[in-house]
Amino acid sequence: MALSKGLSAILAKSPSDVVILSSLRTAICRSYRGQLKDTYPEELLSVVLRATLDANPNLAPESINDVAVGVVLSELGGSKAARMAMNHVGFSNSTSLYTVNRACSSSLQSIATVSAQIRDGMIGVGIAAGMESMTRNYGSKAIPVDLWPELKESAVKDARDCIAPMGLTSENVASRYKVGRKEQDEFAVESHRRAARAQAAGFFDREIVPVHTRFQELDKQGNKVGEVRQIEVTKDDGIRANATLEALARLKPAFQEDGASTAGNSSQVSDGAAATLLMRRSTAAELGLASSILGKFVGATTVGCAPDEMGIGPALAIPKLLSQLNVAATDVDRWEINEAFASQAIYCVRELGLEKDWEEGKVNPDGGAIALGHPLGATGARMTATLMHGLGRTGGEVGVVSMCVGTGMGMAGLFVKESP
């Protein structure tokens, strides 16, 4: 089915639209030290899947035909554990499930794929989700350990670069496109400032569902302190409200001796999950759920780029998406651009001509991954939840979610928020 093109067509309501009825997430917490470090990724998934059912009490669980789960690091691609988690929290055996791995954009890809299934008539109702515990599964730093040796020694640089550390790709972007250390640190401080302000104002409260879990405190050496406690997690715990330029400037480069990317101006390694409920608008009407529609998913696109500068992906994917939909950048009310590294986020904002939008708080107005964290498989759905609820607060209609993708890609998706 052809996508609607042009702003007026995108804003118009059609029975064939793929609409969003809920978009929820857990808190995003620091791996290894954060409040979700002892929680399994499929446990986090179970929370957002159950919360999706609870948020839509007039939707029978058996009406949900399929669930797509973005996940990058879990054993066996996460498919068995995800299916178990879904069954565990009250879904029907008639609901099927699969997992999706497009690295950092996995759960945005799950949103796009479920939407395509709905448009094609393959399913009527679906959930696009994402889960990740980088605490449990980041031991190899997302680099394969059992790899065909010929690829490691390939004469093709772009093949070898697919397993280059992501931090080095950040340094490449900084040096090639002249993004300095000071502006990276300034960007990071602003990300924390915006996230801290949003958290204090309760802006994230409607998108976050509580996680009841266990927590074992550790000292700096990793030794247990006290007994395991039962806790409720409702707040992102990586936000540093007191972040300062002076403190960040003291941090040493993390990836190369003379580099500019540090632990302070890079995204956090994180744990979390998120889920978005999607269906055809006509289906929502038939089920008596039209009044619950938050908005709609319009379309998405992907694009490839050189693996050694994968961070430029959004600067390529966003223009492609806007062109495909015949939408201008000035038509977009809110941008959520993943902050994998300050270097690439700054480059993308510049290259897209969004400097004024950044200054006016239309780009990542409530902070980004530097402050909130980047739980790989869950990030796209997390950003979607933040976008949809954010547009609901500010009154805007059109929003874009975009991120760079490891191995050299970018992805972008366009959404519309609707009034009740």
Side-chain angles (χ1 to χ4, degrees):
M1 180 180 295
L3 298 179
S4 300
K5 293 188 177 184
L7 182 62
S8 60
I10 284 170
L11 295 179
K13 296 179 181 179
S14 166
S16 61
D17 289 337
V18 177
V19 295
I20 296 169
L21 273 76
S22 64
S23 194
L24 303 168
R25 67 178 180 94
T26 67
I28 307 302
C29 295
R30 297 170 299 151
S31 296
Y32 308 116
R33 298 283 178 179
Q35 291 186 304
L36 295 178
K37 71 178 180 64
D38 297 318
T39 309
Y40 290 84
E42 55 272 19
E43 185 179 359
L44 296 170
L45 176 66
S46 75
V47 170
V48 292
L49 290 181
R50 182 66 242 179
T52 299
L53 295 181
D54 293 342
N56 299 276
N58 295 322
L59 177 67
E62 58 269 21
S63 299
I64 300 169
N65 305 122
D66 207 1
V67 176
V69 182
V71 57
V72 178
L73 302 172
S74 288
E75 182 183 15
L76 302 178
S79 60
K80 290 191 175 181
R83 172 72 174 178
M84 293 170 73
M86 185 191 78
N87 289 353
H88 181 66
V89 293
F91 283 70
S92 168
N93 279 337
S94 64
T95 302
S96 51
L97 178 143
Y98 61 100
T99 56
V100 178
N101 185 352
R102 194 190 287 276
C104 311
S105 65
S106 293
S107 51
L108 180 57
Q109 182 64 60
S110 66
I111 290 171
T113 304
V114 168
S115 297
Q117 291 175 273
I118 292 170
R119 285 194 176 110
D120 289 346
M122 183 177 175
I123 64 172
V125 181
I127 294 176
M131 66 176 185
E132 207 74 75
S133 172
M134 298 183 77
T135 298
R136 291 184 177 274
N137 297 313
Y138 198 53
S140 72
K141 306 297 183 187
I143 295 174
V145 296
D146 187 18
L147 183 65
W148 182 28
E150 189 166 327
L151 291 181
K152 294 181 180 180
E153 301 160 5
S154 174
V156 180
K157 180 177 181 295
D158 285 341
R160 301 195 308 273
D161 286 342
C162 286
I163 58 170
M166 291 296 96
L168 294 183
T169 73
S170 172
E171 296 293 4
N172 290 340
V173 171
S175 61
R176 290 173 190 174
Y177 302 107
K178 297 179 173 53
V179 184
R181 167 69 185 268
K182 183 180 179 183
E183 57 190 320
Q184 291 180 52
D185 288 345
E186 289 172 341
F187 186 95
V189 169
E190 181 64 9
S191 182
H192 282 286
R193 188 192 71 80
R194 293 181 181 191
R197 178 189 60 194
Q199 187 176 69
F203 288 172
F204 299 130
D205 293 354
R206 294 189 67 180
E207 67 195 63
I208 294 178
V209 296
V211 178
H212 296 92
T213 188
R214 69 223 140 263
F215 179 79
Q216 172 65 66
E217 185 178 351
L218 303 174
D219 63 21
K220 291 184 178 180
Q221 288 72 44
N223 301 311
K224 294 179 180 180
V225 177
E227 301 298 321
V228 174
R229 294 184 287 118
Q230 297 298 311
I231 62 172
E232 180 182 68
V233 183
T234 60
K235 301 287 186 183
D236 305 312
D237 70 9
I239 301 169
R240 297 192 292 275
N242 60 349
T244 65
L245 184 60
E246 293 73 22
L248 263 63
R250 289 194 292 268
L251 296 177
K252 294 181 179 180
F255 308 107
Q256 65 183 39
E257 191 173 341
D258 59 347
S261 294
T262 71
N265 60 35
S266 304
S267 60
Q268 300 180 37
V269 178
S270 310
D271 307 325
T276 296
L277 175 65
L278 301 150
M279 66 182 68
R280 190 181 294 265
R281 188 185 298 276
S282 59
T283 302
E286 291 166 6
L287 295 174
L289 301 173
S291 62
S292 299
I293 293 173
L294 294 178
K296 66 180 178 180
F297 170 79
V298 178
T301 196
T302 57
V303 65
C305 62
D308 75 343
E309 57 175 25
M310 63 91 205
I312 71 170
L316 302 175
I318 288 173
K320 181 181 176 184
L321 176 68
L322 298 183
S323 175
Q324 288 176 339
L325 298 174
N326 193 25
V327 173
T330 52
D331 295 328
V332 178
D333 298 302
R334 180 174 175 132
W335 305 85
E336 293 289 338
I337 300 177
N338 195 41
E339 300 167 359
F341 301 93
S343 62
Q344 57 82 213
I346 292 168
Y347 167 78
C348 290
V349 168
R350 285 181 185 169
E351 185 68 11
L352 293 164
L354 296 178
E355 296 98 324
K356 186 177 180 182
D357 292 66
W358 164 257
E359 292 169 1
E360 293 177 350
K362 292 174 67 176
V363 179
N364 299 358
D366 299 326
I370 290 173
L372 297 171
H374 180 19
L376 305 177
T379 287
R382 191 286 298 170
M383 295 171 73
T384 299
T386 300
L387 175 77
M388 297 306 294
H389 290 276
L391 285 170
R393 287 194 312 275
T394 60
E397 293 179 291
V398 179
V400 168
V401 168
S402 186
M403 66 282 292
C404 56
V405 181
T407 73
M409 288 179 277
M411 187 169 187
L414 190 140
F415 299 79
V416 169
K417 178 72 176 72
E418 297 180 5
S419 301

